[in-house]
Amino acid sequence: MDYSFSPLGDHSIIIEIGQEISEEVQNQVRTISQLLEKKQPRWLLEIIPAFTTIAVFYTPTVASYATVEAELKELLQQPEEVAASETRTVEIPVCYGGEFGPDLEFVAEHNGLTPEEVIDIHTSGSYSVHMIGFAPGFPFIGGMSEKIAAPRRDSPRLRIPERTVGIAGKQTGVYPIETPGGWQLIGRTPIRLFRPDQEVPSLLRAGDKIIFKKITESEYYAWKEEDHAANH
Amino acid sequence: MLQIIKGGLQTTVQDLGRYGYQKFGVITSGAMDPYAHRLANLLVGNDENAATFEVTLVGPTIQFERDMFIALCGGNLSPKIDGHAVDFWRPLAVKGGSTLSFGAPKAGCRCYLAVSGGISVPELMNSRSTYLRAEIGGFQGRSLKAGDRVEVNPTPAKQLASFDKALSKDTDWQVPAPRYSTAPVIRMMKGRHYELFDEESRKSAFTDFFTVSSNSDRMGYRLEGGALALEEPAELISEAVAFGSIQVPADGNPIVLLADRQTTGGYPKIGQIASVDLPLVSQLKPGDRLRFQEVTLQEAQRLWIEQEHRIQQLKISIQLKWEEWE
């Protein structure tokens, strides 16, 4: 594989793995991220993997840009040292519609469907997490059916409660924390995607497969995180 | 213990930031002016990463419940102790019961208050910085308000033994302050997408004056002026951003990303501010102006290394001053 390198300021370097989002590029991003975390070069501060790139933050007093680039080139010769990580499947229970999903009707009408059909399509999709970013634990999810795509709201809501499930264009996502935003809101999950009290604060990670599962309002209120942890 | 009598406009607990969690979408937070934060800590004998208060524009009123050393570094927000103006960029011995307040901002807009021992708040994900948006970290995940009581770690006994001497002795020394300005020239490297901008924009980026808009905060400063445009429209794939990245949304007004920036962004990045100049940017207020001057990556890294050497030297001279007091 051909990688290109360029500086992102005086404390980081971006490794560009591909020009377009593809499964192969995503796998490379994950493999190289794991390799870097395993090798922990002496100058490494942290990494931010994205769709087609990995930003590597380093300490310039330990190594200059030229040194970091040269050492990265050498390191990337041996990606096979990292075993491909297992693909996890994470189930996200969602209570659709009602006060949790005030825009479910809009999404249905926009696509000439009934709300039930929107839920069926949303829960039968095959989704994967491309990257975590934008907000803590926020997954960029690929794989939503275009049949339930819907434009962003003209004027964004000032407060979208945490754990709300929404649709924006051809994307679906879950808000981990309360945020302003223009997404169409279709439901809410009882599980937390952002867990600042835990060592790995994000429930999801790049590469995960996701299943959305419909639950009732009473199941939503009865939900306990432990149940979810026991299932996975 | 520190008794907060008035919270001020936005007083938050910060350290040098939360690193290692950006891959989970967790922003770094941390001091907007890391230089002032570090120096304030060093002046009172702390580790440079110890938690401080970042005071913004309109300062808080704080009562100290016991004797301790403090240092105020960064913007000059007219600090006073029991009504008397005090110097900044130097250690101050403060008696239990006295009160720190602030007046009109005279230079810059952020001042760091370090206390000997450091401010004691729980560590979360390796940092004590306040993550305002997620309402976690720092002091209860929020800015200080009247009635809060904030714990301070004990001042080391050896240091406290020199308290009376420090109080009586004429201590007119200060560490040098950065040249904060309301119209600074800021060194900037070309960004990853610099070449995607049209010729005029590439030129204006390094010649025009930009004004800090009122829509500016710890997350980023929106700049007005320039009207920067791409040569042709481009859909970019979101990728990491950094402290000091300058991205340009469709309206052509650049945004400088600062301490509370998101981890990733999808706008084209025209430039990246040299880390040594970030404190000068973070101290700008709405209405202030700045201009960018090109610097190469090699030069920016050289300047950074030089600054780190200077800080090490300052650290040693501060230690020597402390020994004189003992």
Side-chain angles (χ1 to χ4, degrees):
Chain A
M1 260 236 169
D2 262 354
Y3 311 115
S4 67
F5 300 86
S6 58
L8 171 68
D10 49 28
H11 277 67
S12 51
I13 177 168
I14 286 196
I15 312 171
E16 194 166 309
I17 286 128
Q19 304 269 330
E20 273 165 39
I21 302 172
S22 73
E23 197 162 329
E24 198 203 342
V25 169
Q26 303 254 280
N27 289 340
Q28 285 284 327
V29 169
R30 274 158 60 201
T31 308
I32 295 170
S33 301
Q34 284 165 24
L35 180 71
L36 284 166
E37 301 219 305
K38 186 180 152 203
K39 293 278 180 177
Q40 289 288 325
R42 66 196 191 289
W43 34 258
L44 181 70
L45 282 175
E46 68 173 323
I47 59 169
I48 306 182
F51 293 105
T52 56
T53 55
I54 303 168
V56 179
F57 291 76
Y58 62 93
T59 317
T61 44
V62 177
S64 69
Y65 177 83
T67 308
V68 171
E69 185 182 314
E71 290 190 23
L72 277 175
K73 278 182 179 158
E74 203 163 307
L75 209 63
L76 299 193
Q77 306 283 322
Q78 330 117 27
E80 67 277 10
E81 277 191 33
V82 186
S85 61
E86 230 177 284
T87 304
R88 304 187 311 168
T89 299
V90 181
E91 191 178 86
I92 299 183
V94 181
C95 178
Y96 289 94
E99 61 163 316
F100 294 156
D103 303 326
L104 180 64
E105 298 271 349
F106 171 84
V107 174
E109 267 171 48
H110 181 79
N111 290 289
L113 300 167
T114 67
E116 272 312 308
E117 285 170 328
V118 172
I119 298 172
D120 284 347
I121 294 169
H122 196 256
T123 51
S124 58
S126 151
Y127 301 98
S128 60
V129 177
H130 288 314
M131 67 177 241
I132 306 291
F134 166 66
F138 180 89
F140 283 87
I141 300 171
M144 193 185 78
S145 166
E146 288 192 25
K147 288 181 198 156
I148 54 172
R152 283 181 160 80
R153 288 168 56 88
D154 291 337
S155 73
R157 285 187 172 89
L158 291 176
R159 299 161 84 89
I160 294 175
E162 63 170 68
R163 297 177 281 103
T164 298
V165 179
I167 289 176
K170 295 177 209 163
Q171 280 206 79
T172 185
V174 187
Y175 281 95
I177 59 170
E178 187 183 280
T179 342
W183 291 47
Q184 304 290 349
L185 313 180
I186 60 167
R188 199 180 299 170
T189 175
I191 61 171
R192 289 185 305 153
L193 271 72
F194 177 49
R195 301 154 175 219
D197 45 341
Q198 291 178 20
E199 200 179 309
V200 176
S202 175
L203 171 72
L204 299 169
R205 59 184 187 219
D208 284 348
K209 301 286 174 207
I210 290 180
I211 296 171
F212 289 110
K213 185 190 165 217
K214 181 187 168 180
I215 58 168
T216 64
E217 206 175 318
S218 56
E219 282 172 315
Y220 174 94
Y221 285 113
W223 198 274
K224 290 194 177 60
E225 218 158 65
E226 301 85 89
D227 302 345
H228 188 78
N231 285 340
H232 293 274
Chain B
M1 196 73 94
L2 303 174
Q3 175 75 42
I4 310 303
I5 296 164
K6 267 192 219 161
L9 181 64
Q10 187 180 62
T11 307
T12 56
V13 175
Q14 301 294 345
D15 58 16
L16 287 172
R18 186 167 280 116
Y19 287 89
Y21 294 87
Q22 289 198 85
K23 58 175 178 269
F24 303 122
V26 175
I27 65 171
T28 65
S29 312
M32 285 279 277
D33 179 345
Y35 183 86
H37 166 94
R38 293 168 75 183
L39 264 296
N41 271 323
L42 293 176
L43 284 165
V44 294
N46 290 348
D47 182 279
E48 59 181 64
N49 191 37
T52 65
F53 283 156
E54 180 180 275
V55 170
T56 316
L57 221 48
V58 181
T61 302
I62 299 170
Q63 189 174 39
F64 301 90
E65 296 195 345
R66 56 179 160 77
D67 295 353
M68 62 182 83
F69 292 96
I70 69 165
L72 295 154
C73 293
N76 181 354
L77 307 181
S78 309
K80 293 179 200 74
I81 289 176
D82 293 333
H84 300 289
V86 289
D87 283 335
F88 43 128
W89 298 98
R90 51 161 283 194
L92 301 163
V94 185
K95 286 199 79 66
S98 44
T99 302
L100 170 71
S101 60
F102 293 85
K106 284 187 180 148
C109 69
R110 289 168 224 280
C111 175
Y112 294 82
L113 166 65
V115 295
S116 49
I119 285 155
S120 171
V121 293
E123 198 175 73
L124 183 77
M125 293 182 268
N126 291 335
S127 168
R128 295 188 165 79
S129 287
T130 312
Y131 185 170
L132 288 169
R133 180 51 74 74
E135 299 176 0
I136 55 173
F139 183 80
Q140 300 178 7
R142 58 168 172 81
S143 304
L144 298 181
K145 56 187 187 197
D148 287 342
R149 291 171 61 78
V150 184
E151 295 239 28
V152 173
N153 296 313
T155 303
K158 190 180 160 204
Q159 211 181 343
L160 211 51
S162 58
F163 188 83
D164 288 335
K165 205 168 163 192
L167 202 61
S168 62
K169 203 167 170 184
D170 179 26
T171 53
D172 57 356
W173 62 279
Q174 283 175 309
V175 293
R179 267 167 295 179
Y180 297 130
S181 153
T182 53
V185 176
I186 300 296
R187 286 164 286 196
M188 173 173 91
M189 290 160 269
K190 286 176 181 167
R192 256 171 66 74
H193 309 112
Y194 179 80
E195 301 298 335
L196 298 180
F197 286 84
D198 63 26
E199 203 186 326
E200 209 187 313
S201 302
R202 293 200 301 266
K203 194 169 154 252
S204 353
F206 290 112
T207 50
D208 286 13
F209 274 97
F210 295 90
T211 306
V212 177
S213 89
S214 54
N215 198 355
S216 296
D217 57 18
R218 281 184 44 92
M219 193 169 168
Y221 279 9
R222 282 170 188 274
L223 305 181
E224 284 159 1
L228 308 173
L230 295 177
E231 185 74 54
E232 46 192 87
E235 271 293 304
L236 298 177
I237 301 171
S238 283
E239 61 176 35
V241 295
F243 200 169
S245 292
I246 301 175
Q247 57 176 25
V248 183
D251 69 7
N253 290 317
I255 303 173
V256 184
L257 299 178
L258 298 167
D260 282 354
R261 68 199 174 277
Q262 291 172 7
T263 55
T264 54
Y267 294 123
K269 296 190 273 277
I270 196 166
Q272 178 77 37
I273 292 172
S275 295
V276 287
D277 282 351
L278 283 169
L280 303 183
V281 177
S282 294
Q283 293 288 354
L284 295 174
K285 300 178 293 297
D288 289 348
R289 302 203 306 164
L290 72 163
R291 192 168 65 76
F292 296 108
Q293 183 184 64
E294 193 183 345
V295 68
T296 63
L297 168 64
Q298 288 73 15
E299 179 67 0
Q301 292 200 324
R302 192 186 63 76
L303 291 165
W304 178 261
I305 291 165
E306 252 178 42
Q307 176 199 269
E308 291 307 292
H309 286 161
R310 251 192 338 269
I311 293 178
Q312 287 315 308
Q313 283 164 0
L314 281 173
K315 195 172 167 177
I316 294 166
S317 50
I318 291 166
Q319 275 162 0
L320 291 174
K321 289 286 180 190
W322 271 103
E323 279 165 25
E324 277 175 30
W325 276 350
E326 279 161 24

